[in-house]
């Protein structure tokens, strides 16, 4: 039996209930009407269907559509998960087709995003914009031409490395911390030419620093935490965060266990990282990249078994990061529902954050970067 199963999970559930009750009695906070008018972007999220019986290729379930509508999220950047083996380029192309089919199956709820105009259309029409991304560049197989191919198919965000070393450079787990390779430097230039957002999440410190220095357009670190607060490799030091802001980029703070050294991260931890990031970068350069699904994550035995299997596989492949484990719970319990960003906005408002700053963190900052990189 996992330690988290009873005592800590019950405590987390109780904290969630108390937080919900407090929201009902403590005033309006940010406010539902202002939230409805805000641009809300999750720079690294997912639309995992809460109906677990459905295959990946299935249209969104009615519950998924309800969650999307309730969430108020304008757009989510979601990963083409191609794994670490097989023909990953073919897998990516297939996943693009699958996601395109989901958009076609639910045109009233989903919209594929390629341009800043698409983001505005998603907001205007109340649909969820889907931004396709990759979290690794191994599928390029040293062929820069594949960047253009993927861009033509709708890819709009590419992460250079995923924890370990690849052809582009060192990931966050690599002790050598050698930075970009020659191919990685060429890749940075190609992403600029193709107007694809360069994402430096999961990168080693020198990889991040060198890529920022070479960037002509604003890069992003879509989902991370502040390493000067919590010294885990998946987080990023203040020096690189400042350099990112100086290039006009945005850092997204995740809703993940790496916000604390061990155990389950709670809303106070997320807010602490957000406030630190704003202090370091300025309010124009911070956002959210949850690494969560829109729907509520059900923490049951099936979830725990899946996380344990995933950790075992990731460990064998050397991509498991310090701070994660077989019992990791990859949510913030108090924000584990589709309206998590309204709850967060209310909590930030009650801490004295001005509404304009909250709107930037909710999505306006990422919308700006996307517009600068993609064009209209």
């Amino acid at each position: 039996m996992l330690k988290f199963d009873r005592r800590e999970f019950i405590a987390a559930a109780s904290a969630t209930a108390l937080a919900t009750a407090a929201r009902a009695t403590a005033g309006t906070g940010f406010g539902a009407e202002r939230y409805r008018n805000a641009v809300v972007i999750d720079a690294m999220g997912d639309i995992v269907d809460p109906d677990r019986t459905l295959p990946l290729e299935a249209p969104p379930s009615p519950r998924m559509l309800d969650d999307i509508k309730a969430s108020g999220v304008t757009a989510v950047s979601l990963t083409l998960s191609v794994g670490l083996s097989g023909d990953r380029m073919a897998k990516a192309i297939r996943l693009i087709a699958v996601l395109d089919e989901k958009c076609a199956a639910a045109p009233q709820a989903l919209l594929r995003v390629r341009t800043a105009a698409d983001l505005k259309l998603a907001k205007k029409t109340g649909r969820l914009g889907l931004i396709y991304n990759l979290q690794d560049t191994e599928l390029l197989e040293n062929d820069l031409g594949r960047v253009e191919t993927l861009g033509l198919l709708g890819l709009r965000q590419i992460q250079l490395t995923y924890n370990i070393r690849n052809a582009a450079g060192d990931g966050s787990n690599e002790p050598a911390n050698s930075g970009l390779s020659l191919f990685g430097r060429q890749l940075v230039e190609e992403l600029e030419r193709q107007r694809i957002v360069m994402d430096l999440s999961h990168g080693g410190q020198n990889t991040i620093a060198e890529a920022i220095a070479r960037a002509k357009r604003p890069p992003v670190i879509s989902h991370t935490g502040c390493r000067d607060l919590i010294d885990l490799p998946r987080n990023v030091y203040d020096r690189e965060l400042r350099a990112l802001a100086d290039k006009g980029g945005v850092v997204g703070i995740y809703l993940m266990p790496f916000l604390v050294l061990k155990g389950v991260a709670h809303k106070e931890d997320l807010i602490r990282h957000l406030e630190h990031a704003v202090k370091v970068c300025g309010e124009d350069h911070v956002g959210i990249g949850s690494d969560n699904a829109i729907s509520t994550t059900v923490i049951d035995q099936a979830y725990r078994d899946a996380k344990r299997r995933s950790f075992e596989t990731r460990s064998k492949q050397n991509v498991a990061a310090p701070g994660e484990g077989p019992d990791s719970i990859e949510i913030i319990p108090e924000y584990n529902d589709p309206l998590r960003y309204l709850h967060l906005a209310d909590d930030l408002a009650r801490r004295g954050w001005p509404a304009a700053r909250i709107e930037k963190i909710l999505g306006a900052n990422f919308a700006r970067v996307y517009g600068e990189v993609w064009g209209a």
Side-chain angles (χ1 to χ4, degrees), residues 12-13 15-17 19-20 23 35 42 71 253-256 259 264-272 274-275 288 290 292-297 330-351 353 362:
T16 302
T20 301
R23 291 183 188 112
Y35 181 76
D42 188 338
S71 73
I253 303 301
Y254 43 31
L255 280 64
M256 292 286 281
L259 299 176
V264 180
H266 289 275
K267 71 175 187 177
E268 294 81 6
D269 304 302
L270 171 62
I271 291 171
R272 186 163 68 107
L274 283 169
E275 291 183 337
I288 298 291
S290 72
N292 287 183
I294 282 180
S295 297
T296 300
T297 298
E330 297 178 350
I331 59 166
I332 301 293
E334 297 87 349
Y335 299 143
N336 186 26
D337 68 73
L339 266 173
R340 61 180 58 87
Y341 303 117
L342 173 57
H343 302 330
L344 172 62
D346 283 341
D347 288 337
L348 293 174
R350 294 187 185 106
R351 288 179 65 83
W353 282 44
L362 285 175

Side-chain angles (χ1 to χ4, degrees), residues 160 180 185 188-189 191-192 196 198 200 207-220 243-244 246-249 373:
L160 297 186
L180 290 173
R185 296 173 185 178
V188 170
E189 295 175 359
L191 294 176
E192 299 277 1
I196 292 175
M198 179 171 65
L200 303 176
T207 297
I208 293 171
E210 290 178 25
I212 292 171
R214 290 177 173 273
K216 300 293 191 299
R217 294 188 179 91
V220 303
L244 180 80
D246 289 344
K247 279 291 176 79
V373 176

Side-chain angles (χ1 to χ4, degrees), residues 83-314:
L84 296 174
S85 62
D87 189 340
R88 287 166 288 186
M89 185 68 175
K91 291 179 183 178
I93 292 171
R94 175 181 175 274
L95 284 169
I96 289 172
V98 167
L99 290 169
D100 284 352
E101 285 297 317
K102 284 186 182 292
C103 292
Q108 78 286 3
L110 300 174
L111 175 69
R112 183 174 66 170
V113 170
R114 290 173 174 260
T115 65
D118 291 335
L119 271 180
K120 293 176 182 177
L121 181 61
K123 181 61 186 177
K124 181 179 180 180
T125 58
R127 289 180 282 177
L128 176 68
L130 301 185
I131 303 165
Y132 301 167
N133 75 58
L134 282 173
Q135 284 201 73
D136 194 7
T137 54
E138 277 292 271
L139 88 170
L140 300 179
E141 296 182 350
N142 294 305
D143 182 357
L144 291 174
R146 292 187 174 189
V147 175
E148 181 178 12
T149 298
L150 291 165
L152 290 171
L153 291 172
L155 192 75
R156 286 296 174 265
Q157 184 172 315
I158 292 183
Q159 186 175 289
L160 297 186
T161 60
Y162 188 86
N163 288 355
I164 60 176
R165 178 177 296 159
N166 65 14
D170 278 4
S172 58
N173 286 10
E174 289 288 345
N177 193 26
S178 297
L180 290 173
S181 66
L182 291 175
F183 175 74
R185 296 173 185 178
Q186 294 172 335
L187 178 56
V188 170
E189 295 175 359
E190 186 62 19
L191 294 176
E192 299 277 1
R193 278 194 292 270
Q194 300 300 330
R195 302 189 75 93
I196 292 175
V197 172
M198 179 171 65
D199 187 352
L200 303 176
S201 306
H202 290 268
Q205 182 184 13
N206 286 334
T207 297
I208 293 171
E210 290 178 25
I212 292 171
R214 290 177 173 273
K216 300 293 191 299
R217 294 188 179 91
V220 303
I221 304 175
S222 65
H223 59 304
T224 191
C226 301
R227 193 161 181 178
D228 282 57
L229 289 182
I230 298 296
D231 189 11
L232 291 173
R234 271 295 288 112
N235 297 332
V236 177
Y237 288 114
D238 286 358
R239 185 174 67 181
E240 282 66 53
L241 294 178
R242 289 191 189 97
L244 180 80
D246 289 344
K247 279 291 176 79
V250 177
V251 57
I253 303 301
Y254 43 31
L255 280 64
M256 292 286 281
F258 308 110
L259 299 176
V260 293
L261 285 174
K262 61 181 180 179
V264 180
H266 289 275
K267 71 175 187 177
E268 294 81 6
D269 304 302
L270 171 62
I271 291 171
R272 186 163 68 107
H273 281 258
L274 283 169
E275 291 183 337
H276 183 86
V278 168
K279 181 179 179 180
V280 171
C281 300
E283 66 182 42
D284 295 322
H285 305 283
V286 181
I288 298 291
S290 72
D291 221 2
N292 287 183
I294 282 180
S295 297
T296 300
T297 298
V298 178
I299 310 297
D300 57 11
Q301 194 59 46
Y303 174 92
R304 291 187 284 267
D305 291 344
K307 294 307 298 181
R308 187 180 296 107
R309 290 193 299 270
S310 173
F311 177 74
E312 291 171 355
T313 300
R314 288 166 59 80

Side-chain angles (χ1 to χ4, degrees), residues 3-78:
K3 293 180 179 178
F4 185 72
D5 284 359
R6 290 185 177 275
R7 285 173 293 185
E8 193 163 10
F9 187 63
I10 290 171
S14 298
T16 302
L18 289 172
T20 301
R23 291 183 188 112
T25 59
T28 58
F30 185 70
E33 182 176 358
R34 186 182 290 273
Y35 181 76
R36 281 194 296 271
N37 292 326
V39 173
V40 182
I41 296 176
D42 188 338
M44 185 61 65
D46 212 331
I47 55 168
V48 174
D49 204 297
D51 186 344
R52 299 176 181 176
T53 67
L54 293 176
L56 176 65
E57 296 81 5
S61 70
R63 183 179 167 194
M64 177 81 260
L65 296 176
D66 288 344
D67 287 349
I68 288 172
K69 183 177 180 180
S71 73
V73 176
T74 307
V76 58
S77 180
L78 70 162

